[in-house]
Amino acid sequence: MASKNIHVHFLDGSSPKDGPSAGLSITTAFISLALNKPVPKNISMTGELSLNGEVCKIGGVQAKVTASKTLGIDKIILPWGNKEDFYELP
């Protein structure tokens, strides 16, 4: 990885709800690439990442958890700020 340059540009013109919660997943993908260690296939994750590296609370938890379960995913990583949302899931 030392000899590689990676540039990711996210367009500012997109809808605010289209993609911010993918920050944690995208960062995990880069770390996976850098360490040459794949992320297990049974994990889904969501979370907006701040410029300081903090994982921020997101919306749509119930829909995201339902979609993960539909796909047979048994490990879901959510932001700590969404703890209450998790406890309200059916």
Side-chain angles (χ1 to χ4, degrees):
M1 278 299 289
S3 65
K4 306 287 184 208
N5 290 318
I6 298 174
H7 173 83
V8 179
H9 180 77
F10 294 97
L11 297 176
D12 192 27
S14 66
S15 169
K17 67 180 221 169
D18 288 345
S21 60
L24 181 62
S25 301
I26 293 167
T27 302
T28 301
F30 281 130
I31 293 170
S32 170
L33 177 66
L35 298 177
N36 196 29
K37 185 174 181 182
V39 178
K41 294 180 181 181
N42 65 331
I43 295 178
S44 69
M45 61 187 76
T46 185
E48 183 174 350
L49 206 59
S50 76
L51 293 175
N52 297 327
E54 296 175 9
V55 180
C56 305
K57 183 177 178 177
I58 49 91
V61 170
Q62 183 170 356
K64 292 171 183 176
V65 170
T66 301
S68 294
K69 286 185 172 187
T70 300
L71 294 171
I73 294 172
D74 58 359
K75 291 187 172 105
I76 303 169
I77 298 172
L78 298 170
W80 185 255
N82 289 97
K83 183 172 77 169
E84 295 303 319
D85 296 321
F86 175 79
Y87 290 122
E88 293 175 4
L89 292 170

